[in-house]
């Protein structure tokens, strides 16, 4: 059961018109690729995807699940949006409520175990290993955990465990954590226990119907068999602009923290048909990921250039992420910026600051001087670093708008 | 508009004897990093709204079927219609590049045409890089009332692979010869015919079944009316290694490849699940096509890299084409080289060819292990 209904409001303009799991990542991917690929690579062929916020892009991207080899007769991908019943309808109230309201789906498939995942986490994990641990421990619930920095521990659900991995204590965002093992929001339940716990929780009017806040503490209190499973690979919840930005950048470098190139379990994606990428004569590309369909004629450094994006001659893109089909016109300078899908930076414009603050441009925007001034005036973007300090070779833009594939 | 089906012929090899082009069917030759030659004709069919495509296969069909599979990447995995693999005769390989439209291959697969009796059939070989809208061709064919309408283009260079037509003032094909010289009317291995007429022609030429359809037509010119239809878009025939090389280099030019890769009519190819191409700090790249899963840490200039190619730090790749699953180790230098699949170029190797005499690294059977791609 893949929870993919969240808005991801802290991703600001990036999720204004798409759900967070459908936000592009790492050049050719979208965030949900990781959870779906992990399922497929772990041998899970029945996946319910719970959607709610701005679902169109997400739904059409998932399609039949064929891109992840999940278009199977027996199981496959089912999209599970909130629905009306004879007694009315409402939005999913919390993670547990979302699953509870799709109990029919679980009962119909009648699995022995249910894996509950978030659609907005970036990692490559074999859930089969976690399931093996769950079975070995004869557990009712297994929670995947990973060690985090002590300084960060109070941001997470923190687990205190015994030597045999049994969970002794679970505290949601504790002020004074007594462990640094954080819950990754990945749960394997034995079906019977899940169904019982959800039915009980649904009757509790005081509950906020959340796994971390309600279900796990209640199961612990009732002496259920709760175990944890430690994961030591790369895992990120890209909840904020800075974590989204940093996780993209973690793909870069010769020994990247998040290595997609040396793994036997490929991350699959429903990538569109585009031509080969084309690197022009005067292009300079260092430390970058560049997807298919991209044309680069300018300078690119420390950047993620997503599918079919365009960097014109004399343009400079540094410490930035260009999302699919975005475009930086001739002579424009883009630093420390996330440029939304299909958005365009006008010729010669300077966007982004060399301070810590990332400039975020949403989808489908034409960024001209006026638009940028308004963003800055509204406090939505930092003032660009001194125009003089920027690349000395800015030429007066001569690029014709409307050229290329645009 | 009547119903149109496609028929793609791939039962022939290259006329040149180089290992790279002679081992695999020409239609399965890797090109421009992530494509195979047949992608262009097959995509043209799909982009014209054709939902039924027959593909005549050579005996050595492994690489073609591995690439096209169910036809899913061209949306040809249909419950009805879709992709039909049709067995070609052994004769195709014996005739090498000559004879793309063997009567025997068509006769053996009459069943496909019988099913589509009421349709027009767009027939194409699999060795032209082009992006053509077939609909005006079919419209013109219906309007002219000709038996067959062939796609032509004025030849700009000398080739031995194509055939050329002499055309009368009213656009009728009068004669044909092998090879093209600049100024000739080159046949782009594409024609349209109604299935009904096609079946009639097959009956007519049954006794000449060892010939190519156009050889048979040329032998009895008055029996069949052949009309020419001039195509004015980009078209690049690839029948030899030399042609593969010069056309690949030419298509590094953004304007030319922009014409070919019309975004309204995308060229489809087999989807791979590899991450996007990666450029390391210190990488130098100019005039290049780099495919998914590749990592560039050295220098790549005026070159095309297939999927999953690693150019290690200090390695230099110039004026070269590297097919998928290759590693160019530290300090190796390649200039005017074509490297076929699965090669590891050892450290500090220097390979240098010239435009006329390209250096070749032949295909290795086993791809390097995943661990070998780490440097």
């Amino acid at each position: 059961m893949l929870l993919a209904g969240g808005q991801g409001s802290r991703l600001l303009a990036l999720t204004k018109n798409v759900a967070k799991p459908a936000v592009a990542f790492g050049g050719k991917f979208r965030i949900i690729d990781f959870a779906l690929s992990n399922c497929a690579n772990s041998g899970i062929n029945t996946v319910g995807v719970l959607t709610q916020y701005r679902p169109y892009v997400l739904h059409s991207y998932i399609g039949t699940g064929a891109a992840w080899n999940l278009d199977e007769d027996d199981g496959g991908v089912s999209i599970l949006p909130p629905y009306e019943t004879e007694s009315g309808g409402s939005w999913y109230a919390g993670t547990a409520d979302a699953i509870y309201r799709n109990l029919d789906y679980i009962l119909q498939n009648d699995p022995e175990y249910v894996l509950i995942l978030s659609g907005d986490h970036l990692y490559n994990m074999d859930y089969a290993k976690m399931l093996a641990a769950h079975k070995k421990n004869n557990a009712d619930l297994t929670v995947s955990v990973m060690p985090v920095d002590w300084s960060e521990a109070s941001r997470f659900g923190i687990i205190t465990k015994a030597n045999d991995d049994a969970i002794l204590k679970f505290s949601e965002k504790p002020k004074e954590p007594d462990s640094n093992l954080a819950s990754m929001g990945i749960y394997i339940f034995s079906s019977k226990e899940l169904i019982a716990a959800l039915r009980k929780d649904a009757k509790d009017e005081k509950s906020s119907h959340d796994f971390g806040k309600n279900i796990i503490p209640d199961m612990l209190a009732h002496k259920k068999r709760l175990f944890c499973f430690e994961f030591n690979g790369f895992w990120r919840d890209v909840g904020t602009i800075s974590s989204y930005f940093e996780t993209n950048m973690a793909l870069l470098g010769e020994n990247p923290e998040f290595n997609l190139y040396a793994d036997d379990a490929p991350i699959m994606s429903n990538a569109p048909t585009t031509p080969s990428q084309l690197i022009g004569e005067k292009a300079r590309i260092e430390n970058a990921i560049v997807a298919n369909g991209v044309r680069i004629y300018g300078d690119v450094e420390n950047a993620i250039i997503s599918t079919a994006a365009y960097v014109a001659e004399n343009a400079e893109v540094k410490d930035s992420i260009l999302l699919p089909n975005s475009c930086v016109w001739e002579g424009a300078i883009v630093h420390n910026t996330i440029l939304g899908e299909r958005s365009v930076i006008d010729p010669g414009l300077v966007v982004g600051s060399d301070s810590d603050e990332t400039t975020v441009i949403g989808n489908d925007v034409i960024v001209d001087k006026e638009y940028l001034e308004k963003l800055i005036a509204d406090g939505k973007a930092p003032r660009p670093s001194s125009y003089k300090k920027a690349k000395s070779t800015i030429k007066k833009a001569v690029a014709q708008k409307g050229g290329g594939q645009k | 508009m009547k119903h149109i089906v496609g028929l793609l012929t791939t039962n022939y090899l290259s006329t040149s004897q180089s290992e790279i082009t002679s081992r695999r069917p020409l239609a399965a030759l890797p090109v421009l990093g992530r494509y195979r030659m047949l992608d262009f004709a097959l995509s043209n069919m799909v982009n014209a709204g054709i939902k039924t495509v027959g593909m005549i296969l050579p005996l050595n069909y492994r690489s073609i079927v591995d690439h096209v599979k169910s036809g899913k990447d061209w949306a040809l995995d249909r419950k009805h219609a879709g992709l039909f693999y049709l067995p070609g005769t052994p004769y195709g390989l014996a005739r090498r590049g000559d004879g793309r439209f063997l009567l025997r291959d068509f006769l053996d697969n009459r069943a496909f045409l019988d099913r589509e009796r009421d349709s027009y059939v767009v027939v194409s070989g699999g060795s032209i890089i082009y992006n053509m809208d077939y609909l005006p061709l079919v419209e013109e064919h219906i309007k002219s009332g000709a038996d067959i309408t062939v796609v032509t283009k004025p030849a700009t260079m000398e080739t031995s692979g194509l055939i050329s037509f002499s055309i009368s003032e009213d656009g009728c094909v009068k004669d044909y010869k092998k090879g093209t010289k600049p100024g000739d009317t080159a046949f782009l291995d594409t024609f349209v015919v109604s299935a009904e007429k096609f079946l009639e022609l097959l009956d007519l030429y049954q006794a000449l079944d060892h010939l190519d359809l156009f050889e048979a037509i040329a032998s009895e010119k008055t029996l069949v009316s052949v009309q020419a239809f001039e195509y004015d878009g980009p078209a690049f025939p690839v029948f030899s290694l030399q042609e593969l090389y010069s056309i690949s280099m030419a298509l590094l030019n953004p304007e030319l490849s922009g014409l070919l890769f019309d975004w309204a009519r995308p060229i489809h190819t087999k989807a791979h699940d590899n991450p996007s191409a990666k450029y390391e700090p210190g990488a130098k790249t100019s005039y290049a096509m780099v495919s998914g899963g590749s990592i560039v840490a050295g220098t790549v200039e005026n070159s095309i890299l297939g999927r999953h190619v690693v150019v290690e730090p200090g390695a230099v790749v110039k004026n070269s084409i590297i097919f998928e699953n290759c590693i160019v180790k530290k300090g190796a230098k390649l200039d005017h080289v074509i490297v076929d699949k699965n090669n590891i170029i050892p450290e500090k190797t220097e390979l240098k060819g010239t435009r006329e005499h390209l250096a070749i690294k032949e295909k290795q059977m086993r791809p390097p292990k995943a661990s070998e791609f780490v440097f």
Side-chain angles (χ1 to χ4, degrees), chain B residues 354-368:
Chain B
T354 64
R355 213 181 154 92
E356 287 71 35
H357 299 283
L358 299 161
I360 306 293
K361 279 296 282 178
E362 282 169 18
K363 177 175 167 179
Q364 304 298 309
M365 284 307 148
R366 297 175 70 143

Short mmCIF file of all heavy atoms in Angstrom, two decimals, chain B residues 354-368:
data_model
loop_
_atom_site.label_atom_id
_atom_site.label_comp_id
_atom_site.label_asym_id
_atom_site.label_seq_id
_atom_site.Cartn_x
_atom_site.Cartn_y
_atom_site.Cartn_z
N THR B 354 41.34 6.72 -39.48
CA THR B 354 41.13 7.96 -40.21
C THR B 354 39.70 7.92 -40.72
O THR B 354 39.03 6.90 -40.62
CB THR B 354 42.07 8.09 -41.43
OG1 THR B 354 41.75 7.04 -42.33
CG2 THR B 354 43.52 8.02 -41.01
N ARG B 355 39.25 9.02 -41.30
CA ARG B 355 37.90 9.07 -41.80
C ARG B 355 37.65 7.99 -42.85
O ARG B 355 36.59 7.39 -42.91
CB ARG B 355 37.63 10.46 -42.40
CG ARG B 355 36.18 10.86 -42.17
CD ARG B 355 35.82 12.19 -42.75
NE ARG B 355 34.38 12.14 -43.00
CZ ARG B 355 33.47 12.53 -42.13
NH1 ARG B 355 33.83 13.05 -40.99
NH2 ARG B 355 32.19 12.42 -42.43
N GLU B 356 38.67 7.73 -43.66
CA GLU B 356 38.52 6.72 -44.71
C GLU B 356 38.73 5.31 -44.16
O GLU B 356 38.11 4.37 -44.60
CB GLU B 356 39.51 6.97 -45.86
CG GLU B 356 39.18 8.17 -46.73
CD GLU B 356 39.41 9.50 -46.02
OE1 GLU B 356 40.36 9.58 -45.21
OE2 GLU B 356 38.62 10.44 -46.25
N HIS B 357 39.66 5.18 -43.21
CA HIS B 357 39.95 3.85 -42.65
C HIS B 357 39.73 3.89 -41.15
O HIS B 357 40.64 4.17 -40.38
CB HIS B 357 41.39 3.45 -42.99
CG HIS B 357 41.63 3.35 -44.47
ND1 HIS B 357 41.20 2.28 -45.22
CD2 HIS B 357 42.19 4.21 -45.34
CE1 HIS B 357 41.49 2.48 -46.49
NE2 HIS B 357 42.11 3.66 -46.59
N LEU B 358 38.50 3.63 -40.78
CA LEU B 358 38.15 3.68 -39.36
C LEU B 358 38.75 2.49 -38.64
O LEU B 358 38.80 1.39 -39.19
CB LEU B 358 36.63 3.64 -39.23
CG LEU B 358 35.89 4.81 -39.89
CD1 LEU B 358 34.43 4.46 -40.11
CD2 LEU B 358 36.04 6.05 -39.04
N ALA B 359 39.21 2.74 -37.41
CA ALA B 359 39.64 1.60 -36.58
C ALA B 359 38.39 0.96 -35.99
O ALA B 359 37.43 1.65 -35.64
CB ALA B 359 40.58 2.08 -35.48
N ILE B 360 38.39 -0.36 -35.89
CA ILE B 360 37.19 -1.08 -35.46
C ILE B 360 37.52 -1.98 -34.27
O ILE B 360 38.54 -2.66 -34.26
CB ILE B 360 36.69 -2.02 -36.60
CG1 ILE B 360 36.48 -1.26 -37.89
CG2 ILE B 360 35.44 -2.78 -36.18
CD1 ILE B 360 35.37 -0.27 -37.87
N LYS B 361 36.67 -1.95 -33.25
CA LYS B 361 36.75 -2.95 -32.19
C LYS B 361 35.49 -3.79 -32.31
O LYS B 361 34.37 -3.30 -32.14
CB LYS B 361 36.79 -2.29 -30.81
CG LYS B 361 38.14 -1.77 -30.39
CD LYS B 361 39.19 -2.83 -30.24
CE LYS B 361 39.05 -3.60 -28.94
NZ LYS B 361 40.08 -4.67 -28.82
N GLU B 362 35.67 -5.07 -32.56
CA GLU B 362 34.51 -5.92 -32.79
C GLU B 362 33.76 -6.23 -31.51
O GLU B 362 34.29 -6.14 -30.41
CB GLU B 362 34.95 -7.21 -33.47
CG GLU B 362 35.20 -7.00 -34.94
CD GLU B 362 35.89 -8.18 -35.58
OE1 GLU B 362 35.87 -9.27 -34.98
OE2 GLU B 362 36.46 -7.99 -36.67
N LYS B 363 32.53 -6.66 -31.69
CA LYS B 363 31.65 -6.96 -30.56
C LYS B 363 32.20 -8.09 -29.69
O LYS B 363 32.68 -9.10 -30.20
CB LYS B 363 30.29 -7.37 -31.12
CG LYS B 363 29.26 -7.78 -30.10
CD LYS B 363 27.93 -8.05 -30.78
CE LYS B 363 26.98 -8.76 -29.83
NZ LYS B 363 25.69 -9.02 -30.46
N GLN B 364 32.14 -7.89 -28.37
CA GLN B 364 32.44 -8.97 -27.44
C GLN B 364 31.11 -9.58 -27.00
O GLN B 364 30.11 -8.88 -26.88
CB GLN B 364 33.19 -8.42 -26.22
CG GLN B 364 34.46 -7.67 -26.58
CD GLN B 364 35.46 -8.56 -27.27
OE1 GLN B 364 35.79 -9.65 -26.80
NE2 GLN B 364 35.95 -8.14 -28.44
N MET B 365 31.12 -10.87 -26.76
CA MET B 365 29.85 -11.53 -26.45
C MET B 365 29.34 -11.21 -25.05
O MET B 365 28.16 -11.10 -24.81
CB MET B 365 29.99 -13.05 -26.63
CG MET B 365 29.98 -13.44 -28.09
SD MET B 365 28.52 -12.75 -28.92
CE MET B 365 29.12 -12.49 -30.56
N ARG B 366 30.29 -11.09 -24.10
CA ARG B 366 29.83 -10.89 -22.72
C ARG B 366 29.97 -9.44 -22.30
O ARG B 366 31.06 -8.88 -22.37
CB ARG B 366 30.64 -11.76 -21.77
CG ARG B 366 30.45 -13.24 -22.06
CD ARG B 366 31.37 -14.03 -21.18
NE ARG B 366 30.92 -13.96 -19.80
CZ ARG B 366 31.01 -14.99 -18.98
NH1 ARG B 366 31.52 -16.13 -19.38
NH2 ARG B 366 30.59 -14.88 -17.75
N PRO B 367 28.88 -8.84 -21.83
CA PRO B 367 29.01 -7.46 -21.33
C PRO B 367 29.87 -7.44 -20.08
O PRO B 367 29.90 -8.42 -19.33
CB PRO B 367 27.56 -7.07 -21.01
CG PRO B 367 26.78 -8.32 -20.96
CD PRO B 367 27.52 -9.38 -21.70
N PRO B 368 30.60 -6.34 -19.85
CA PRO B 368 31.37 -6.23 -18.61
C PRO B 368 30.44 -6.34 -17.41
O PRO B 368 29.27 -5.97 -17.48
CB PRO B 368 31.98 -4.82 -18.69
CG PRO B 368 31.89 -4.43 -20.13
CD PRO B 368 30.71 -5.16 -20.70
#
